[in-house]
């Protein structure tokens, strides 16, 4: 699955960037505004990849079925919009990995379930994404991951056969989508779910413990 690769696609949160501090801050601000105690970042980190559902669930024990959930979600979104580049950082090794991919003539891009409301300004604010040739958000196509359509859309934008693409992510939904799209799949164990899930059950073609491990595997292939 890693021979004749022409492009590498990545999930965003938990794979390329650590946005947990800003996501946690957005919901923690809601708690403090309601007279509740502030919670440490590590309380929120394991669910950072689950977006508003995960953050509000951890902050308030509230599920999407709650009658106030939609209002709480929009408040969370506004808070996050106002702080989403304050504490978010690029994972160690990602810049070197991306530079190496570009130097080797490989195309790269992003496929995330994050809404373009956040993806567009976030990636525009970070120099890392200047060389990305495709950025597909959760609302770019009618379906989000684990459906393969967002990955097919990225491949269309790159004009590269999905079979010649690799998809890297830290969530089982990433691997399910990548397999359904016929891509080589890579589970990033350094991401949010790496320590919380049995990644061996995801059936990814490869597991990596750091971004630079991907380069080693592509080189070997």
């Amino acid at each position: 699955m890693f021979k004749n690769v022409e492009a590498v696609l990545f999930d965003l949160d938990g794979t390329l960037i650590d946005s947990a501090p800003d996501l946690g801050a957005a919901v923690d601000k809601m708690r403090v505004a309601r007279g509740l105690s502030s919670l440490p970042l590590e309380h929120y980190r394991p669910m950072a990849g689950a977006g508003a559902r995960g953050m509000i669930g951890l902050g308030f024990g509230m599920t999407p079925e709650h009658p106030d959930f939609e209002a709480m979600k929009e408040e969370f979104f506004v808070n996050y919009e106002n702080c989403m580049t304050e504490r978010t950082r690029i994972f160690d090794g990602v810049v070197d990995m991306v530079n190496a991919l570009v130097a080797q003539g490989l195309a790269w891009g992003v496929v995330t379930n994050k809404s373009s409301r956040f993806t567009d300004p976030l990636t525009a604010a970070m120099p890392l994404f200047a060389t990305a040739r495709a950025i597909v958000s959760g609302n770019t196509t009618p379906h989000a991951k684990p459906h393969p359509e967002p990955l097919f859309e990225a491949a269309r934008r790159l004009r590269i056969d999905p079979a010649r693409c690799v998809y890297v992510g830290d969530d089982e939904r990433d691997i399910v989508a990548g397999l359904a799209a016929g891509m080589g799949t890579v589970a990033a164990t350094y991401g949010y779910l790496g320590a919380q899930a049995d990644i061996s059950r995801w059936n990814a073609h490869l597991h990596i413990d750091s971004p630079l491990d991907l380069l080693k595997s592509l080189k070997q292939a």
Side-chain angles (χ1 to χ4, degrees), residues 12 28 41 45 61 72 130 134 147 167:
L12 183 60
D28 212 56
L41 167 62
R45 182 176 291 280
M72 295 283 280
H147 198 284
Y167 187 48

Side-chain angles (χ1 to χ4, degrees), residues 137-218:
S137 299
N139 59 330
T140 301
T141 72
H143 304 282
K145 300 175 295 183
H147 198 284
E149 182 55 29
L151 292 175
F152 288 140
E153 174 62 19
R156 285 192 291 267
R157 293 186 180 191
L158 296 174
R159 298 183 179 180
I160 294 175
D161 186 337
R164 294 186 180 273
C165 298
V166 169
Y167 187 48
V168 185
D170 71 309
D171 190 294
E172 186 173 12
R173 291 171 297 180
D174 300 325
I175 306 307
V176 171
L179 292 172
M183 296 184 179
T185 55
V186 181
T189 63
Y190 59 85
Y192 297 138
L193 295 187
Q196 305 295 323
D198 184 1
I199 289 182
S200 65
R201 300 183 62 179
W202 296 359
N203 296 317
H205 295 103
L206 177 71
H207 302 161
I208 57 173
D209 296 325
S210 75
L212 294 178
D213 286 346
L214 177 65
L215 296 178
K216 298 174 186 176
S217 297
L218 291 177

Side-chain angles (χ1 to χ4, degrees), residues 42-211:
E42 294 311 313
H43 176 77
Y44 298 111
R45 182 176 291 280
M47 290 298 289
R53 174 178 56 83
M55 294 295 97
I56 294 172
L58 286 175
F60 296 94
M62 183 182 292
T63 67
E65 292 73 33
H66 193 285
D68 295 332
F69 183 83
E70 288 303 313
M72 295 283 280
K73 181 172 74 171
E74 182 56 29
E75 182 180 346
F76 169 77
F77 284 163
V78 171
N79 285 353
Y80 180 57
E81 277 181 313
N82 291 331
C83 75
M84 62 182 173
T85 59
E86 290 182 6
R87 308 165 191 83
T88 291
R89 68 177 186 88
I90 300 166
F91 280 113
D92 292 342
V94 164
V95 172
D96 289 341
M97 173 190 67
V98 166
N99 288 342
L101 294 176
V102 173
Q104 292 171 25
L106 295 175
W108 77 280
V110 173
V111 181
T112 175
N113 275 359
K114 204 182 195 81
S115 169
S116 58
R117 172 179 177 180
F118 312 108
T119 305
D120 291 349
L122 182 60
T123 55
M126 303 182 78
L128 170 71
F129 299 97
T131 56
R133 288 173 45 188
I135 295 179
V136 176
S137 299
N139 59 330
T140 301
T141 72
H143 304 282
K145 300 175 295 183
H147 198 284
E149 182 55 29
L151 292 175
F152 288 140
E153 174 62 19
R156 285 192 291 267
R157 293 186 180 191
L158 296 174
R159 298 183 179 180
I160 294 175
D161 186 337
R164 294 186 180 273
C165 298
V166 169
Y167 187 48
V168 185
D170 71 309
D171 190 294
E172 186 173 12
R173 291 171 297 180
D174 300 325
I175 306 307
V176 171
L179 292 172
M183 296 184 179
T185 55
V186 181
T189 63
Y190 59 85
Y192 297 138
L193 295 187
Q196 305 295 323
D198 184 1
I199 289 182
S200 65
R201 300 183 62 179
W202 296 359
N203 296 317
H205 295 103
L206 177 71
H207 302 161
I208 57 173
D209 296 325
S210 75

